[in-house]
Amino acid sequence: MIANTPFGRRGLLAGAGLSLLPAAARAQESWPARPVRIVVSYGAGGAVDTVARLVFQRVEKKLGQPFVIENRAGAGGSIAASAVAQSKPDGYSFLHDASGFAINPALLPRLPYDPLRDFTPVGAIVTVPNTFLLGPACPANTIAELIALAKKSPGELTCASTGTGSSQHLALELFNRTADVEITHVPYRDAPAAQNDLRAGRISMILSTATSALPLHGQDRLRVIAHTDDTPVARLPGVPAVAETLPGYRSLEWHGLYAPAGLPPAIVTTMNTALGQVLAEPELVERLAGIGVRASPMAPDAFAAFLRGELEKWGKLIKEAGITIG
């Protein structure tokens, strides 16, 4: 008799109802049921790839399926983004991208995707402060001294980045506008060439991520005089934030996770929860801090709002500064 079942009539009917759920709903409950692809927007061995591998090798332990890193470098991350935008929203294809995701729409107006319409923001992963790395050709030791030098000789100081429209280039443009100075941007194809010219005194400084600057700080008269975060950087003790001299200035590299538009909310929640758990693990936090990276998880709604703000902020700056590539 139904009344004598362990769950009673209500429990039995509820259990029977589960078998009537659509196949898609049942699949969501068991996600992930097979390997998950993480498309990384930059090449193997770089900073974005390193973070992805550190994070998702732990996520796969949480969720019980392999998370396979697939590097698709090129076009500032837009090749990888295009591939994921065209994938099925079934929870088996995600994009791990950096700040370029919010920069490219203004810089590359013919992108084959829309960052808001064609993606589901799943969560923030890490933030990476930029740094002002000065060489022997620039005598400044503080941001105040750098501003004074720049005002004295507009355009004479030079600052390298890894390319026009990179987050470091935009950080320089934001600095120029905030400090009302003119430091000339010099784009390089790769970091080693810029570092060699910095050592040789052919350029004044490099605006680079803390990850790139840490191995150089204190070598060959190279020194980091400030970082662009609003909290201390563990691996740069005693190095101040730019905001201590220019209140409100902040410009970070950041990584986020996205899925194709239409990803079921249950999968978004599961993935975001797993991300939050691994990014709170002390061992991972310490390893990330060792390369100048800060674990910065964020709930899906908060991350979506953050993304909209970054799109607006950098889109406005690119337009006002007349930055173009190609």
Side-chain angles (χ1 to χ4, degrees):
M1 295 177 62
I2 291 175
N4 294 328
T5 64
F7 301 104
R9 182 182 298 271
R10 181 178 298 173
L12 184 61
L13 291 176
L18 289 175
S19 67
L20 301 178
L21 286 173
R26 293 198 300 273
Q28 290 174 36
E29 291 181 352
S30 61
W31 181 88
R34 53 186 172 86
V36 177
R37 179 178 67 146
I38 304 295
V39 181
V40 175
S41 54
Y42 296 89
V48 179
D49 175 71
T50 297
V51 170
R53 293 178 190 275
L54 286 172
V55 170
F56 289 103
Q57 70 182 7
R58 289 165 170 79
V59 170
E60 70 177 20
K61 293 177 181 178
K62 291 282 183 185
L63 298 181
Q65 289 290 342
F67 277 66
V68 180
I69 302 297
E70 179 180 315
N71 298 96
R72 289 211 181 183
S78 61
I79 291 176
S82 295
V84 173
Q86 296 168 18
S87 301
K88 293 181 180 179
D90 57 5
Y92 294 97
S93 291
F94 291 87
L95 172 69
H96 180 134
D97 204 350
S99 307
F101 189 81
I103 294 170
N104 286 338
L107 201 62
L108 305 168
R110 295 184 181 178
L111 285 176
Y113 60 83
D114 182 282
L116 298 177
R117 182 192 64 226
D118 296 329
F119 290 90
T120 300
V122 177
I125 302 174
V126 299
T127 54
V128 190
N130 291 307
T131 63
F132 282 80
L133 178 68
L134 275 58
C138 185
N141 288 301
T142 67
I143 287 295
E145 291 177 0
L146 180 63
I147 292 172
L149 284 172
K151 285 184 178 293
K152 182 178 179 181
S153 303
E156 288 191 13
L157 293 179
T158 54
C159 181
S161 81
T162 52
T164 300
S166 64
S167 63
Q168 289 71 41
H169 175 203
L170 297 187
L172 174 64
E173 292 291 343
L174 183 63
F175 180 82
N176 279 342
R177 288 167 178 267
T178 305
D180 191 25
V181 297
E182 183 184 347
I183 297 174
T184 301
H185 175 241
V186 183
Y188 280 75
R189 285 185 174 272
D190 58 74
Q195 293 165 8
N196 287 338
D197 281 357
L198 183 66
R199 288 189 178 94
R202 288 187 284 269
I203 54 174
S204 309
M205 70 198 80
I206 298 176
L207 221 165
S208 67
T209 64
T211 305
S212 297
L214 281 170
L216 304 174
H217 181 47
Q219 296 184 9
D220 301 324
R221 297 172 63 193
L222 308 183
R223 69 267 183 215
V224 174
I225 65 164
H227 64 79
T228 64
D229 205 346
D230 54 5
T231 58
V233 177
R235 288 288 307 279
L236 291 170
V239 174
V242 175
E244 293 181 27
T245 303
L246 290 177
Y249 179 90
R250 186 172 187 252
S251 178
L252 302 177
E253 181 92 24
W254 50 270
H255 300 189
L257 188 69
Y258 312 86
L263 184 70
I267 296 178
V268 175
T269 298
T270 300
M271 178 62 99
N272 183 271
T273 299
L275 272 178
Q277 290 172 345
V278 302
L279 289 169
E281 293 176 2
E283 181 188 0
L284 179 58
V285 171
E286 185 175 348
R287 289 196 66 179
L288 291 172
I291 58 172
V293 176
R294 180 156 56 93
S296 304
M298 196 179 293
D301 288 349
F303 180 50
F306 171 79
L307 174 60
R308 288 192 293 270
E310 289 288 285
L311 285 162
E312 181 179 354
K313 173 182 178 178
W314 298 122
K316 180 181 179 182
L317 179 64
I318 288 169
K319 182 178 179 180
E320 290 178 350
I323 300 171
T324 59
I325 62 174

